Amino acid sequence: MRLLIVEDERRLAASLAGGLAAEGFAVEVVHDGREGLRRALDREYDLIILDIMLPGMNGYRVCAELRATGDHTPILMLTAKDGEYDEAEGLDTGADDYLTKPFSYVVLLARVRALLRRHARGGGGAPAIVLGDLTVDPASKRARRGDVEVELTAKEFAVLEHLAINAGQVVSKAQIMENVWDFAYDGDPNIVEVYVSALRRKLDAPFGRRSIVTVRGAGYRLATDGGAAAGGRG
């Protein structure tokens, strides 16, 4: 899932981005309100973490402008202010939740996950993706083969989740990178192969399955039936 952080305190922004990236999120950071609004309008995000006191345009205005365009991306507002009227103003402009600095990272992460779950339910999204005996649960970030839970790292799950959302369709390396790694990542795109190989070792090999198929020159396709018995090349 892709998150946008709009925060002018660079050390805080970097700390949040690092922590959330470690949880498997693809994170982009900007430090100016106007740039944050432009990015939010130009690109799709699953959630926006938005500071209120920003240069260029404050968070209240950014939030109000987004909502005026019909954008319903969940917004978690951050502020150094404290008081019920500040909170009320943030919520009145369309924010979904509000966190006052200083805050615990653990609390912020819990709020982010809660907002994503709430948004999925509100949008009619299924709590889990079921593909044969393979279950991918975005809310809990867990995967199962039948009744057996498969231990995945945050990034492995993020790759699997994107493949599961597009099950039956060919997904290119570029598409996976765009949705699982942040926009600024300029490393070797073959990193995707490393994670796909890890998923095959964990999801397929122990169960005699072949669920992730390589479509030569195009990308990968996750089987909608959870994968046939292993036997061909993938």
Side-chain angles (χ1 to χ4, degrees):
M1 288 188 169
R2 187 179 298 285
L3 309 184
L4 173 64
I5 298 175
V6 188
E7 168 60 68
D8 65 328
E9 294 183 38
R10 291 174 183 265
R11 290 180 61 184
L12 173 60
S15 176
L16 293 179
L20 291 166
E23 295 293 330
F25 294 104
V27 185
E28 185 178 8
V29 177
V30 297
H31 305 292
D32 175 271
R34 292 189 185 282
E35 177 63 11
L37 177 62
R38 188 184 70 79
R39 296 289 180 90
L41 292 173
D42 287 349
R43 300 170 177 174
E44 291 188 7
Y45 297 92
D46 295 287
L47 182 139
I48 299 170
I49 297 174
L50 177 64
D51 189 30
I52 289 179
M53 301 302 291
L54 292 166
M57 176 184 288
N58 68 42
Y60 295 135
R61 288 187 57 199
V62 173
C63 183
E65 297 246 359
L66 281 174
R67 296 305 189 232
T69 67
D71 189 311
H72 298 294
T73 304
I75 294 176
L76 173 61
M77 274 194 162
L78 307 179
T79 183
K81 293 182 176 182
D82 189 11
E84 60 179 333
Y85 294 108
D86 298 320
E87 180 174 356
E89 185 174 355
L91 297 176
D92 282 346
T93 59
D96 297 272
D97 202 354
Y98 184 99
L99 204 53
T100 302
K101 300 174 186 176
F103 52 80
S104 159
Y105 171 74
V106 173
V107 171
L108 178 132
L109 180 58
R111 298 283 187 91
V112 165
R113 286 176 169 164
L115 283 176
L116 290 170
R117 286 195 300 270
R118 189 192 314 166
H119 186 67
R121 287 196 300 269
I129 302 168
V130 180
L131 306 165
D133 69 341
L134 175 62
T135 301
V136 182
D137 188 347
S140 65
K141 293 189 178 295
R142 292 179 177 176
R144 298 193 312 273
R145 274 285 186 194
D147 295 327
V148 179
E149 183 168 340
V150 180
E151 294 292 332
L152 301 176
T153 67
K155 193 66 78 176
E156 287 167 355
F157 183 85
V159 173
L160 174 62
E161 180 183 10
H162 188 66
L163 289 171
I165 289 171
N166 296 283
Q169 303 177 48
V170 177
V171 181
S172 69
K173 286 183 186 178
Q175 289 172 314
I176 294 173
M177 292 192 70
E178 287 172 5
N179 284 274
V180 176
W181 279 264
D182 59 64
F183 290 108
Y185 180 78
D186 59 357
D188 188 347
N190 289 327
I191 189 67
V192 175
E193 294 179 10
V194 174
Y195 282 92
V196 169
S197 294
L199 289 173
R200 285 171 170 157
R201 286 197 305 272
K202 294 182 178 184
L203 288 171
D204 288 353
F207 304 94
R209 298 301 182 90
R210 182 172 175 264
S211 64
I212 305 175
V213 177
T214 298
V215 181
R216 199 168 302 279
Y220 304 97
R221 182 177 61 244
L222 181 63
T224 57
D225 62 358
R233 295 185 62 184

